Amino acid sequence: MNFTKVLLVFSILRGVAPVSAKQFNGLCTVWVNNFLCIEEGGCDDSQLVCEDGEGNFYQLIGPTSDDIENAVNDGSIDSGHFMFDPNQEENVTFDGESLVMNYSSNFTLNDLTTSVSITEKDRYSPTTGDNKMLLVIIDATDYNVDYSPNQLSSDVFGTHSTFTDEDNANSVYRACSDNQLRIFPGTPPPGKEDFFLARGTIRVKIDIPLNGSSDYAIMNAARLKAQEQLGISLPGTGADQYDNIYYAKKGCYPNACAYAAYAGIGSYYSMYQGGYITYSGVQVHEHGHNLGLYHSGEGTLAYGDHSCSMGNPLYRDDASKMCFNPAKSWAVGWYTDSYVEYNEGEKLYVKLIGVGEWTSESPENVVVKIDVPSSSDDLYVGFNRKAGANEDNVEFSDLVTVIKANNIMSSPRSYQSWIEANMREADPPYENSDAGVAVKVCKIVTNEVPGYADVVIYNPTTSSGGCVRTPTAQPVPTPLPTDSPTPFVRCQEKILPNEYQGFSVGSSAGLFFVYNVTAHTDMIIDTFYLKFQSTANINVWTKRGNYEGFEEKETAWTRIVENISMETGEIRKDDFTPVKIDKGAEQSFYLQVSGTNVYCKRGDKTGDLDAENEDLSIFWGSRTTWKFSRPSRDSYMVHTKIRYRLCKDTPTASPEITPMKYPSFSPTTSNTRSPTKVCMDDPNFVKGRGGRKRTCEWIGQARKQWRTNKWCNKKKSQVKISEICCETCKKCNCGANCGKAPCKKK
């Protein structure tokens, strides 16, 4: 296979002293290392390193940091995707510690003879699944790491009983990916259990000092000692392979480190110095490099985007709930069926939610990608909601952001990205003449779960960018008028009571109740009534869909009531984030009560109907003794009332933008009677997943109704499945595209 020519010209390196040539071990795999400088500009952001045939790393000296970053940004370098043989290059010399490119004859990387072309290299750091990780603590002959293995294991995995760290790389990636990427502590090879001093953690003593030793000499020495302990060649293979290895050292000597950490782009390794290994935000940033993500910038600062963990991260251990900007969110591929590609010249209405409140059951969109034909950059549009997994975000919170990023590199990698725009509801549209596109924010709502932004994307030369959709499709008849006009009600407030004397129960650690509700019509839940013996401390979380399987996964839930004190009565509406539930959808609630006893009752079976009216049903749930722990087998329900609203728009109000289903709305015609057609599923619908083919019939055969509801709320090609399988999903308002005929009630 011919190697794609690398278009990179480095600055001429002058005054390089002659070095004693040594034989390099095998081929050099070139990686890009990104450094997280403590002060931006205070260190070289990027270096090139060569990995030899035994897994040792050596710096490739010659190109400056700017040279490397320019080459990365224009697609000339793809980390880990090409090799060359240093022993066959007259202008590359190896001295045992680094490789030096001799530019005295104007030699460039483009002149290297590449003996191997790598187009698809195995990824050490997968973006989904169970990542098995190893933490290596490095003690040297002169300095030791200050932290114990148990503490650092907790800081990374959150696993130790004494040092229970709720904010760590594992918790952040689980939350941002809706549990699709899980970082587990690696297990020891057979017979090597004694070397693991804490879960996923070993400690090595290298035979060189930190003082005066290069970064890569230290990492190579640590890797060799770890291999001696474990009896394998790292990162390992098969059952003994570690997807990621975090190295931790005391610091840099004699001069203090100018960086917090560094990592290889698309590789498996990262190095942390001093206390930065305890900062979960730094862990997430470096692990992002392993996933193939470059920095996120703003203005002239390469990692100045503080709305993204690949910008300047959160330098704290207890605040790290920040995910990624739209460009990075597109690259990682977690938000299946919630990505939209803008088609040139169209007018696209889209409802965007934040990645922090997204779940696999979310029908809304997360990112819109806009191709820029005349540029190597694409544009990515998203709603930077400060909530849920993204609640610690520090910049552009609850605004719509437009991100520019290079589109050359193969997914799931993402080049350096830059903030192009951030917009509030009243701001003028963002326009990009190269793409022939404008982005306008029509509406932003943050007092519901999930919060959302209504956005219209259009060609400004052919459209005014109005927020009201223009009817263009074939007409369908309107319903026949009633004998007497129905009075319009903007919002009707109602209550579903579920009251009983029951009994009171309490615990010194607090009690936790989890249960489901199902909406029979579109509604907004505003608050709960609860009954206590005295003043209680309250927290409430919610998630879309059924709670089963999520009782122990805090990252799947969004908190809507936070640390309030109250007596018997309704939770103040100001303390309760309203929860919007679509018709037919399930919603779960998780209630924490501490400080007193709460009134509840015990049922026969979890999931059975407890109370309902024409709008809403409540089902028996369960309880736990500890926060987000395994629930009891008994069914419980708290003494409560649910206050909710049923809201409709007036005929003259601007319509709320909802996720795109079919390309346009249908106008009304005169009130003439037309034949009624039955609600019918599309017989041609198939959704493939995991080797299976899901049809409407398959979805309807689910053993539990909540599973059917889950599939009905998913999308195929941006169309909600309930619109396609309208009979199965009991949705009879899907229009002419469903089953090849208009859907009417039977």
Side-chain angles (χ1 to χ4, degrees), residues 12 271 278:
I12 296 177
M271 174 69 78
T278 68

Side-chain angles (χ1 to χ4, degrees), residues 406-612:
N406 195 287
N407 60 14
I408 295 176
M409 189 172 291
S410 57
S411 181
R413 298 195 178 183
S414 175
Y415 272 161
Q416 171 79 45
S417 65
W418 299 95
I419 285 280
E420 279 284 290
N422 59 93
M423 294 176 287
R424 297 174 175 80
E425 185 172 326
D427 287 347
Y430 160 80
E431 294 191 14
N432 185 295
S433 58
D434 291 334
V437 73
V439 180
K440 181 178 180 180
V441 180
C442 296
K443 184 178 182 181
I444 291 179
V445 174
T446 59
N447 61 351
E448 297 179 6
V449 177
Y452 64 91
D454 288 336
V455 175
V456 58
I457 304 174
Y458 59 97
N459 184 334
T461 63
T462 60
S463 172
S464 63
C467 289
V468 179
R469 305 191 200 201
T470 303
T472 57
Q474 294 298 317
V476 294
T478 59
L480 293 176
T482 58
D483 292 336
S484 58
T486 302
F488 173 77
V489 179
R490 175 67 180 172
C491 281
Q492 180 184 9
E493 191 169 71
K494 303 180 74 173
I495 293 176
L496 173 60
N498 190 25
E499 302 176 82
Y500 33 76
Q501 182 58 35
F503 59 92
S504 67
V505 62
S507 167
S508 59
L511 287 175
F512 304 86
F513 297 86
V514 59
Y515 60 94
N516 297 325
V517 303
T518 296
H520 308 310
T521 185
D522 294 345
M523 67 172 57
I524 299 172
I525 293 181
D526 285 321
T527 187
F528 299 150
Y529 171 96
L530 298 167
K531 184 176 181 180
F532 314 107
Q533 281 192 342
S534 60
T535 301
N537 297 314
I538 301 296
N539 283 276
V540 182
W541 293 263
T542 190
K543 71 172 291 292
R544 285 182 172 174
N546 197 285
Y547 69 78
E548 291 185 27
F550 295 92
E551 300 94 329
E552 300 177 69
K553 300 175 182 177
E554 182 176 358
T555 56
W557 299 78
T558 297
R559 181 147 42 186
I560 56 174
V561 177
E562 183 170 2
N563 297 329
I564 66 166
S565 296
M566 63 175 290
E567 297 181 349
T568 295
E570 286 188 344
I571 301 172
R572 284 181 358 111
K573 289 185 179 181
D574 288 346
D575 294 326
F576 191 105
T577 302
V579 180
K580 184 177 180 181
I581 311 177
D582 294 332
K583 179 180 178 181
E586 278 188 297
Q587 192 79 18
S588 301
F589 293 94
Y590 196 106
L591 169 67
Q592 175 190 8
V593 179
S594 60
T596 188
N597 286 16
V598 60
Y599 283 87
C600 61
K601 65 177 180 179
R602 184 175 294 174
D604 295 325
K605 182 181 179 183
T606 58
D608 283 354
L609 180 67
D610 184 29
E612 69 174 345

Side-chain angles (χ1 to χ4, degrees), residues 25-162:
N25 187 351
L27 298 176
C28 160
T29 301
V30 180
W31 298 95
V32 177
N33 275 3
N34 267 184
F35 284 73
L36 179 60
C37 303
I38 298 171
E39 295 184 5
E40 183 146 4
C43 69
D44 288 335
D45 294 344
S46 302
Q47 292 182 5
L48 292 181
V49 293
C50 272
E51 181 183 7
D52 71 7
E54 293 185 348
N56 295 306
F57 292 91
Y58 305 94
Q59 185 178 357
L60 182 58
I61 296 175
T64 67
S65 181
D66 288 342
D67 291 331
I68 298 169
E69 290 170 8
N70 290 335
V72 166
N73 292 336
D74 67 20
S76 299
I77 289 182
D78 195 355
S79 180
H81 279 233
F82 67 92
M83 296 180 176
F84 71 95
D85 188 347
N87 301 314
Q88 301 299 318
E89 298 292 341
E90 294 182 359
N91 291 288
V92 177
T93 307
F94 178 54
D95 65 0
E97 292 190 0
S98 60
L99 293 104
V100 179
M101 297 182 68
N102 181 7
Y103 287 158
S104 60
S105 59
N106 203 26
F107 182 80
T108 70
L109 189 60
N110 193 39
D111 297 317
L112 291 174
T113 301
T114 54
S115 57
V116 177
S117 172
I118 301 177
T119 55
E120 293 187 13
K121 186 175 178 65
D122 290 339
R123 293 186 58 80
Y124 293 112
S125 302
T127 55
T128 59
D130 296 336
N131 263 31
K132 191 168 75 169
M133 204 190 83
L134 178 67
L135 173 61
V136 179
I137 302 173
I138 304 172
D139 292 333
T141 57
D142 51 356
Y143 294 100
N144 296 337
V145 170
D146 294 331
Y147 305 99
S148 71
N150 283 332
Q151 179 173 349
L152 292 188
S153 177
S154 174
D155 284 329
V156 174
F157 306 113
T159 54
H160 193 266
S161 58
T162 303

Side-chain angles (χ1 to χ4, degrees), residues 258-279:
Y259 63 84
Y262 67 84
I265 300 292
S267 187
Y268 67 88
Y269 60 87
S270 57
M271 174 69 78
Y272 303 80
Q273 66 92 4
Y276 292 103
I277 183 62
T278 68
Y279 292 178

Side-chain angles (χ1 to χ4, degrees), residues 197-211:
L197 306 180
R199 293 188 66 186
T201 306
I202 65 173
R203 191 162 200 152
V204 299
K205 181 79 172 183
I206 61 176
D207 298 326
I208 62 174
L210 299 184
N211 192 349

